[in-house]
């Protein structure tokens, strides 16, 4: 096997699942690392996100291959969406018969595929790996928290993005042998795409000056599905816009809710635009004075870039971005005043130098450690209890 894994280890067949926008930047470096190791990666797109802006644009920017299987489940209630993914994924798994099923993040597709694989793994002799394991918000009202906890319970191998995930898993009784620290695969994509993102000169195209504008994103049900909450957040953002332009790429769910609740006018002071592609988003975030968001991924990307971030949520499952990075939580419950104050503090804090406030393992090589961990724990291989990140793999 050329360029593949040495030491006589056989190549693995790995079924990699992606479903929604925040998954695509996580699977791209994993597919590349598996390819370099000589393994066969089979990509499944569940179709949870299907709009060109939410899906295709990401495939193009990230250089993702055409999925081998597209399940086309689309939007529906949580139960229906999860059930559709399960029904469609089962025959794929039976047909591919991989050594590994790799699921990433915390979306409905993540849990659905882990659940299907958990019932077939003994029959097929495959294992389940969860990338981004061990994150906890402690907030059971979030569908993502349910997805995270249950996926971790089902997975054979839990690959963590930061050290603070380990006590969370230990507290749930998960054996340390199943847990390996690999670092943050999303930062692999960020660092790989940053030069191309900067060349796009997105701030100039949007008519804003680097370092003198804010970026905002909103899509959490807790912020956008309740008229009072959405209106409070939008009025906070509108007041920040009195100080500097606020670029606001609007999630489809948020656009629909704002229209339904008749609060669309509150967006008038904002530079509201359609969702951006991956590189464009990185480009616009990289030039921002501050990012205001309820997204999980952006909390991490801002920390890696050194850009101050205000998280518009009660809790974060990524506390390492607050303790070691550039993130802070806006005062809870969210009010326009609280958002304006938190934004002011974040802007005053200023940008951190690259790598100055960046957690361990957010170094552009996490996916290589994922591929190494999969090989070390492959079905038939003896379990190895060690830490691939500190061993410099
Ligand atoms: C999902 C994930 C969330 C992730 C977010 C990023 C779960 C439980 N939640 O939330 O963790 O941070 O994606 O975007 O899996 N829609 C479109 N076009 C699309 C996709 C969705 O118009 O391509 C609309 C749907 O019609 C629906 C809404 O957006 O009304 C929500 O989509 P959905 O996939 O249910 O979940 P998100 O709220 O986006």
């Amino acid at each position: 096997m050329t360029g593949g894994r040495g030491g006589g280890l056989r190549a693995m067949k790995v079924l990699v699942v992606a479903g929604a926008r925040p998954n695509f930047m996580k699977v791209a470096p994993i597919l590349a690392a598996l390819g370099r190791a000589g393994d066969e990666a089979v990509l499944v797109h569940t179709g949870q996100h299907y709009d060109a802006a939410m899906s295709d644009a990401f495939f193009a920017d990230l250089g993702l291959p055409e999925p081998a299987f597209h399940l086309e489940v689309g939007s529906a209630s949580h139960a229906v969406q999860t059930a559709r993914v399960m029904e469609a994924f089962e025959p794929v798994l039976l047909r591919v018969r991989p050594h590994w099923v790799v699921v990433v993040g915390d979306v409905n597709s993540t849990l659905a595929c882990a659940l299907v694989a958990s019932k077939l793994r003994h029959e097929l002799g495959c294992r389940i790996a969860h990338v981004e394991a061990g994150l906890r918000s402690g907030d059971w009202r979030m569908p993502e928290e349910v997805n995270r906890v249950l996926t971790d319970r089902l997975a054979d191998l839990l690959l963590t993005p930061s050290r603070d995930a380990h006590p969370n898993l230990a507290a749930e009784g998960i054996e340390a042998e199943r847990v390996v620290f690999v670092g943050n695969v999303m930062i692999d994509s960020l660092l790989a795409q940053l030069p191309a993102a900067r060349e796009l000169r997105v701030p100039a195209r949007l008519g804003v000056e680097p370092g003198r504008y804010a970026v905002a994103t909103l899509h959490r049900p807790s912020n956008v599905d309740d008229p009072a909450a959405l209106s409070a957040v939008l009025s906070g953002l509108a007041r920040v816009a009195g100080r500097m332009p606020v670029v606001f790429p609007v999630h489809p769910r948020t656009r629909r809710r704002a229209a339904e609740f008749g609060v669309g006018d509150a967006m008038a002071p904002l530079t509201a635009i359609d969702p951006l592609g991956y590189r464009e988003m990185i480009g616009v975030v990289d030039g921002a004075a501050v990012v205001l968001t309820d997204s999980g991924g952006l909390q991490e990307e801002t920390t890696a870039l050194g850009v101050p971030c205000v998280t518009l949520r009660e809790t974060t499952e990524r506390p390492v971005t607050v303790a070691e990075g550039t993130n802070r939580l806006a005062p809870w419950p969210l009010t326009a005043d609280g958002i304006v104050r938190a934004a002011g503090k974040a802007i005053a804090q200023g940008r951190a130098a690259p790598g100055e406030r960046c957690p361990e393992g957010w170094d552009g090589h996490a996916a290589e450690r994922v591929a190494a961990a999969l090989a070390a724990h492959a079905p038939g291989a003896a379990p190895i209890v060690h830490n691939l990140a500190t061993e410099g793999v």
Side-chain angles (χ1 to χ4, degrees), residues 20-22 48-51 54 75-76 78 81 106-109 143-144 147 219-221 251-253 256:
R21 184 170 65 172
Q48 179 176 340
H49 283 176
Y50 45 87
D51 279 0
M54 301 292 282
S75 293
H78 284 271
Q81 189 174 59
D106 57 16
V107 301
N108 288 338
S109 302
E144 293 80 4
N147 293 342
H219 75 274
R220 291 278 159 211
H251 191 282
R253 176 194 205 104
R256 202 166 308 150

Side-chain angles (χ1 to χ4, degrees), residues 26-39 41 62-65 367-368 371:
K26 294 171 193 163
V27 300
I30 297 172
L31 293 173
L34 289 169
R36 286 195 300 274
D39 295 315
L62 292 159
L64 275 165
E368 289 156 37

Side-chain angles (χ1 to χ4, degrees), residues 53-329:
M54 301 292 282
S55 175
D56 304 0
F58 283 71
F59 270 71
D61 278 0
L62 292 159
L64 275 165
E66 274 289 307
F69 298 91
H70 200 305
L71 310 183
E72 295 180 352
V73 299
S75 293
S77 71
H78 284 271
V80 171
Q81 189 174 59
T82 307
R84 277 189 194 150
V85 174
M86 290 181 69
E87 270 191 317
F89 182 66
E90 188 179 54
V92 170
L93 181 56
L94 287 167
R95 182 158 148 207
V96 175
R97 304 181 77 89
H99 296 98
W100 281 106
V101 173
V102 173
V103 294
V104 301
D106 57 16
V107 301
N108 288 338
S109 302
T110 309
L111 174 61
C113 294
L115 192 48
V116 170
S118 73
K119 306 273 181 75
L120 284 170
R121 70 182 133 193
H122 302 293
E123 182 186 331
L124 299 179
C126 69
R127 289 184 178 174
I128 305 163
H130 182 208
V131 174
E132 203 182 86
L135 302 190
R136 298 288 183 267
S137 67
D139 181 355
W140 279 88
R141 289 166 303 181
M142 287 177 73
E144 293 80 4
E145 183 75 354
V146 177
N147 293 342
R148 288 180 198 116
V149 173
L150 298 181
T151 303
D152 283 343
R153 188 73 183 84
L154 295 170
D156 297 284
L157 182 62
L158 291 87
L159 301 170
T160 64
S162 52
R163 299 268 178 203
D164 53 357
H166 293 239
N168 294 340
L169 295 171
E172 291 172 18
I174 290 177
E175 309 85 332
E177 289 78 4
R178 286 164 57 202
V179 185
V180 176
F181 171 63
V182 290
N184 193 333
V185 289
M186 217 176 61
I187 307 306
D188 291 13
S189 281
L190 175 72
L191 298 178
Q193 300 291 338
L194 189 56
R198 285 181 173 157
E199 269 176 32
L200 293 175
R201 307 202 179 286
V202 187
R205 278 168 38 205
L206 293 170
V208 291
E209 208 182 314
R212 293 180 187 278
Y213 65 90
V215 171
T217 79
L218 282 183
H219 75 274
R220 291 278 159 211
S222 55
N223 282 334
V224 306
D225 287 358
D226 172 58
L230 182 57
S231 155
V233 175
L234 289 178
S235 62
L237 297 179
R239 279 177 50 194
V240 175
R243 175 171 177 184
M244 56 172 63
V246 176
V247 176
F248 184 41
V250 190
H251 191 282
R253 176 194 205 104
T254 309
R255 194 174 284 285
R256 202 166 308 150
R257 291 288 186 251
E260 252 171 65
F261 302 152
V263 297
D265 287 355
M267 292 203 284
L270 312 178
T271 310
I273 55 176
D274 285 336
L276 292 171
Y278 180 69
R279 281 187 190 159
E280 291 172 307
M281 191 65 190
I282 296 300
V284 78
V285 166
D286 177 51
V290 63
V291 172
L292 301 122
T293 187
D294 59 12
S295 142
L298 274 173
Q299 296 174 49
E300 298 184 342
E301 287 161 343
T302 46
T303 275
L305 291 168
V307 172
C309 179
V310 175
T311 293
L312 304 171
R313 283 177 30 196
E314 186 174 8
T315 55
T316 175
E317 63 288 337
R318 291 158 164 97
V320 72
T321 59
V322 177
E324 296 181 34
T326 57
N327 191 20
R328 70 182 65 227
L329 286 171

